[in-house]
Amino acid sequence: MTVVSVKQALAGMPGEGREVTVRGWVRTRRDSKAGLSFVHVSDGSCLAPIQAVVPADLPNYQDEVLHLTTGASVIVTGTLVTSQGKGQGFEIQASRIEVPGFVDDPETYPIQPKQHSMEFLREVAHLRPRTNLFGAVTRMRHTVMMAIHRFLTEQGFYWINTPIITTSDAEGAGDMFRLSTLDLANLPRDDQGKVDFRKDFFGREAFLTVSGQLNVEAYCLAMSKVYTFGPTFRAENSNTPRHLAEFWMVEPEIAFADLGDNADLAEAFLKAIFRTVLEERADDMAFFAQRVHPQAISRLEAFIAAPFERIEYTDAIGILEKSGKKFEYPVAWGVDLQTEHERYLVEEHVGRPVVVMNYPQEIKAFYMRLNDDGKTVAAMDVLAPGIGEIIGGAQREERLAQLDARMQRFGLDAETYAWYRDLRRYGTVPHAGFGLGFERLLCYICGIANIRDAIPYPRVAGSAEF
RNA sequence: GCCCGAAUAGCUCAGCUGGUUAGAGCACCUGACUGUUAAUCAGGGAGUCGUAGGUUCGAGUCCUACUUCGGGCGCCA
């Protein structure tokens, strides 16, 4: 017997008339008094299920086949033939069907062959990959991850596995999850009565990483083109459809590069990813366009077609001030751009992706490079219609004196960042990089509205089921 | 963290200004019919209306608190 995936079988592999076996889960079953049942089987390999035509003379027809319901697992062996029915190409004329697992209580089995609300499916996160939508999102998630690795590899980047456990607050940005093996009911205390973290597992305070950037910079200043791509954690109490407490982030870092090079990379990167998904996941993209977001495909095509607009932060403020729009948050040089400002810039003023560059130094992180004007730093945000900020990046401060000055300004302890400072002492070079929130990118590609549906098991404040 | 909304069958929802035994579609079970494909048709079972209080002769409906979910904002990716 030749075991094939549903995807292969639908493509007619290994050939018409051949005996094949497919294994998967029942989507629907319809019976015909002509003496057969139609069982649609899905195995995750592609969007469409394959139809197994099961004749009533099979020995287990009455006892088993007629009791198949949505979600039951089946192993179907039969002849691959072109379908007599309308629509699909190949189907399986079954000669044998095994049922490893029925659905215990079909009436309460949560996944029905119909549309469910996203809220409901979040409550059954362990079963939602059985739906068309989450199957498609899951395949897309894999495809986008691989596309990222492939693009960066082709560009000469090395994937650096930066640590999940960290002992420094990477950017002073965001609350971190504490990691400790201390007995919470009996904490060791020092002379001042404070918790004595010298007694903790690592001999000091430890946290889950909020970014691999600082670590990856060190490898950048040796390997030239690197990236880190892994899970990151934020203990922020952010209650929005765009935030997760655990999410994946890809952070490329390039040496001998300035902010312009960084923006070039970001643009090439995003366009390459979008091209890949349109080519490799056409069936799933068509599904998203049909069922989730009508512009799912067209907006990716538009994104690829147009060059990004690049504007200075200072000019962006000028545009907003002259817009005549009433913003809830007033616009003035020195303020950070609010969601409403970004939306106006991208969706109304420019109408395509925008890179905003060179922000006031007060509103950006300590490691960003101070510009010659003494007022701004070489930071950039990539804003896109429909998503807002998708990428944040910067040219890093490679000059020790300027870095120290900024660290002091932010009240950061030079001792804690000794190794980071070393990078500026031993063969420093201009370098730059950016961070991209993977699930936000996936939301945009699939057209899904809530980031909790872009990761298999979402973790957010107050919720970590499954 | 702030503001707003929602919670009725396994799912998606209806249930007007409070008034007898709470409804529909899908799903499930039974039957009819059919190379069917979100099949169709007939019948059936299925709900202490999120929880706890309160107002009232009477509460799914009004009030309060809580819980959960969702949306907007902030923080950001």
Side-chain angles (χ1 to χ4, degrees):
Chain A
M1 91 183 175
T2 308
V3 176
V4 295
S5 68
V6 169
K7 182 182 183 180
Q8 290 172 315
L10 284 173
M13 292 166 65
E16 187 164 10
R18 293 281 299 273
E19 181 175 85
V20 297
T21 297
V22 297
R23 306 179 291 200
W25 293 265
V26 172
R27 274 291 164 75
T28 59
R29 185 198 95 230
R30 281 175 298 278
D31 307 317
S32 168
K33 276 293 177 287
L36 21 102
S37 288
F38 302 97
V39 180
H40 283 194
V41 179
S42 172
D43 69 353
S45 59
C46 60
L47 183 68
I50 192 162
Q51 175 162 280
V53 182
V54 185
D57 55 12
L58 291 191
N60 62 341
Y61 186 80
Q62 286 295 328
D63 289 346
E64 296 196 321
V65 175
L66 287 182
H67 293 100
L68 286 174
T69 56
T70 304
S73 53
V74 288
I75 299 172
V76 183
T77 299
T79 310
L80 195 58
V81 297
T82 46
S83 180
Q84 297 173 31
K86 292 172 279 183
Q88 310 320 317
F90 285 89
E91 66 183 21
I92 293 173
Q93 196 70 41
S95 55
R96 174 180 163 86
I97 180 166
E98 292 173 65
V99 187
F102 283 96
V103 169
D104 267 357
D105 182 2
E107 191 171 352
T108 56
Y109 178 65
I111 308 300
Q112 299 167 13
K114 62 170 245 177
Q115 269 197 294
H116 297 87
S117 68
M118 303 295 266
E119 292 80 9
F120 171 70
L121 290 172
R122 269 170 228 144
E123 296 172 11
V124 287
H126 58 312
L127 297 173
R128 66 181 183 169
R130 299 181 182 204
T131 63
N132 280 332
L133 177 61
F134 282 90
V137 170
T138 303
R139 283 185 294 276
M140 190 62 81
R141 188 176 166 102
H142 169 84
T143 300
V144 175
M145 284 205 158
M146 298 314 288
I148 288 171
H149 283 301
R150 199 186 319 149
F151 170 80
L152 291 171
T153 301
E154 284 167 357
Q155 300 289 316
F157 283 73
Y158 293 107
W159 181 21
I160 309 302
N161 305 125
T162 53
I164 305 293
I165 299 171
T166 179
T167 52
S168 68
D169 179 345
E171 321 178 9
D175 293 328
M176 307 176 83
F177 288 100
R178 179 180 297 285
L179 201 61
S180 174
T181 54
L182 293 177
D183 179 2
L184 289 178
N186 186 22
L187 291 169
R189 303 283 176 176
D190 62 15
D191 298 342
Q192 279 93 50
K194 292 181 176 170
V195 176
D196 187 359
F197 287 105
R198 289 172 302 182
K199 302 268 170 57
D200 207 345
F201 188 87
F202 296 107
R204 58 195 294 184
E205 287 186 274
F207 306 90
L208 292 178
T209 185
V210 297
S211 164
Q213 181 203 312
L214 300 189
N215 290 290
V216 91
E217 275 187 55
Y219 272 70
C220 178
L221 298 186
M223 311 299 287
S224 301
K225 296 164 101 176
V226 297
Y227 66 106
T228 177
F229 190 7
T232 49
F233 307 87
R234 304 275 167 94
E236 292 284 355
N237 188 16
S238 300
N239 208 327
T240 82
R242 298 176 301 282
H243 290 84
L244 291 166
E246 175 182 326
F247 64 100
W248 286 61
M249 187 156 62
V250 55
E251 299 172 278
E253 193 78 24
I254 42 178
F256 304 99
D258 62 16
L259 192 63
D261 299 321
N262 205 22
D264 289 344
L265 176 64
E267 181 167 352
F269 177 93
L270 287 172
K271 289 181 173 177
I273 305 305
F274 292 166
R275 259 184 232 109
T276 299
V277 301
L278 289 173
E279 283 169 19
E280 297 184 4
R281 295 251 73 94
D283 56 343
D284 289 323
M285 284 306 302
F287 177 79
F288 294 132
Q290 185 199 333
R291 298 282 285 276
V292 185
H293 195 297
Q295 277 84 49
I297 294 174
S298 59
R299 66 179 181 177
L300 292 190
E301 291 170 340
F303 196 107
I304 293 167
F308 289 12
E309 180 81 13
R310 297 186 190 189
I311 59 177
E312 295 287 313
Y313 166 87
T314 301
D315 295 335
I317 293 296
I319 290 164
L320 291 167
E321 283 175 338
K322 288 187 206 121
S323 70
K325 297 268 292 187
K326 276 260 160 63
F327 294 110
E328 191 184 337
Y329 291 85
V331 178
W333 198 96
V335 304
D336 206 354
L337 296 182
Q338 302 296 316
T339 304
E340 56 175 344
H341 304 146
E342 295 178 345
R343 289 183 69 100
Y344 174 81
L345 273 177
V346 174
E347 288 163 19
E348 295 187 50
H349 187 75
V350 178
R352 61 177 198 277
V354 175
V355 189
V356 182
M357 307 168 85
N358 300 311
Y359 286 74
Q361 65 157 321
E362 285 79 10
I363 58 173
K364 289 292 179 181
F366 79 92
Y367 52 73
M368 297 188 179
R369 189 180 195 276
L370 188 66
N371 287 321
D372 291 343
D373 59 15
K375 297 190 303 186
T376 60
V377 289
M380 67 170 200
D381 283 344
V382 179
L383 314 176
I387 17 173
E389 183 185 334
I390 187 160
I391 279 178
Q395 183 175 343
R396 320 306 186 188
E397 182 55 83
E398 85 281 11
R399 301 159 299 183
L400 186 61
Q402 282 83 348
L403 180 68
D404 282 345
R406 276 187 68 74
M407 284 178 62
Q408 205 163 19
R409 215 177 168 122
F410 281 80
L412 298 173
D413 175 28
E415 200 60 34
T416 310
Y417 292 91
W419 68 266
Y420 189 69
R421 293 177 72 253
D422 274 356
L423 303 174
R424 278 72 183 166
R425 298 173 61 213
Y426 307 136
T428 191
V429 297
H431 61 291
F434 61 82
L436 168 74
F438 180 80
E439 283 78 14
R440 286 189 181 173
L441 180 68
L442 196 59
C443 280
Y444 186 66
I445 290 169
C446 302
I448 57 184
N450 194 311
I451 200 165
R452 295 168 199 203
D453 303 319
I455 190 166
Y457 300 104
R459 273 80 177 92
V460 298
S463 171
E465 220 189 328
F466 304 101

